[in-house]
Amino acid sequence: QMQQLDALVRMLIDDTEKLLYPLAVSIAGDPSVRKILEAGFRHIELGDAEAEQASRDALYSLLEVRWQEMRNVVELRQVHFLTADGISFLRMHEPSRHGDGLVSVRPLIRRALATGQPQTGYEVGRLYGGVRVILPIRGADERLRGLVEVGLSMGPILEPLTREMGMLSALL
């Protein structure tokens, strides 16, 4: 029975990855997002903190409505942008918190930066465990410029399972 439960949880995680992937692609592929990120990353390289913050604010403003819709409809937990060295640029769920490095604590981010390839899976971060999809963002020169991460905590994923298990136990 534990094997069946494990298989079911893995299936739920896989299904969640399939749900999150197109969301991440739509964000990473948005020309306006890419333009703002490119400017923000350039301001970081130039050490222009004021212009960097203006880019961060512009990105938040651009995505705020879409972010709220994704939170309400699919209970999305995070949309997070990182630089090519794994430094947080913007957390839509906590926009005032940025500038911290995540490579040492987040294996999926480390792998995405090392390979330049999308990464998906369950991962425990600093605040929650959940299913995450991380996509590279490349500049016009195809150089890796950063990452976008979308994530969903396990609560909404496991809720149908726990509801089903509760119904099953009531029947037994």
Side-chain angles (χ1 to χ4, degrees):
Q1 203 169 29
M2 284 302 289
Q3 288 176 334
Q4 288 176 327
L5 184 59
D6 182 59
L8 184 56
V9 169
R10 287 183 192 279
M11 183 185 73
L12 290 170
I13 290 172
D14 289 346
D15 287 350
T16 302
E17 289 173 1
K18 289 174 186 166
L19 169 76
L20 295 178
Y21 203 92
L23 292 174
V25 167
S26 73
I27 294 167
D30 183 319
S32 297
V33 168
R34 295 172 70 88
K35 183 178 178 182
I36 294 169
L37 280 174
E38 188 72 31
F41 295 158
R42 189 171 44 256
H43 297 312
I44 291 170
E45 290 170 0
L46 296 173
D48 187 344
E50 189 175 314
E52 174 190 341
Q53 185 60 48
S55 293
R56 188 177 292 110
D57 293 343
L59 185 58
Y60 186 85
S61 293
L62 175 69
L63 295 174
E64 185 175 16
V65 170
R66 193 174 352 168
W67 161 241
Q68 293 302 331
E69 289 171 353
M70 290 185 290
R71 284 182 64 186
N72 293 335
V73 174
V74 295
E75 297 183 58
L76 197 65
R77 175 70 172 83
Q78 73 176 36
V79 173
H80 189 188
F81 298 92
L82 299 103
T83 66
D85 52 357
I87 305 297
S88 176
F89 180 74
L90 173 65
R91 290 173 169 95
M92 291 299 293
H93 60 286
E94 202 173 349
S96 63
R97 198 167 143 236
H98 53 82
D100 54 314
L102 294 161
V103 172
S104 65
V105 294
R106 299 282 311 286
L108 288 175
I109 289 173
R110 189 168 44 252
R111 265 198 316 268
L113 292 171
T115 66
Q117 298 298 312
Q119 300 295 316
T120 64
Y122 173 80
E123 184 176 73
V124 177
R126 289 181 179 155
L127 300 177
Y128 78 97
V131 176
R132 302 164 193 272
V133 171
I134 302 171
L135 298 181
I137 296 175
R138 298 191 180 280
D141 59 1
E142 288 302 309
R143 191 170 58 112
L144 181 67
R145 302 295 288 149
L147 303 171
V148 63
E149 172 187 26
V150 295
L152 186 67
S153 66
M154 290 303 289
I157 297 167
L158 294 177
E159 192 271 328
L161 177 63
T162 56
R163 185 177 55 235
E164 190 71 27
M165 298 281 283
M167 288 183 213
L168 182 62
S169 65
L171 290 173
L172 297 175

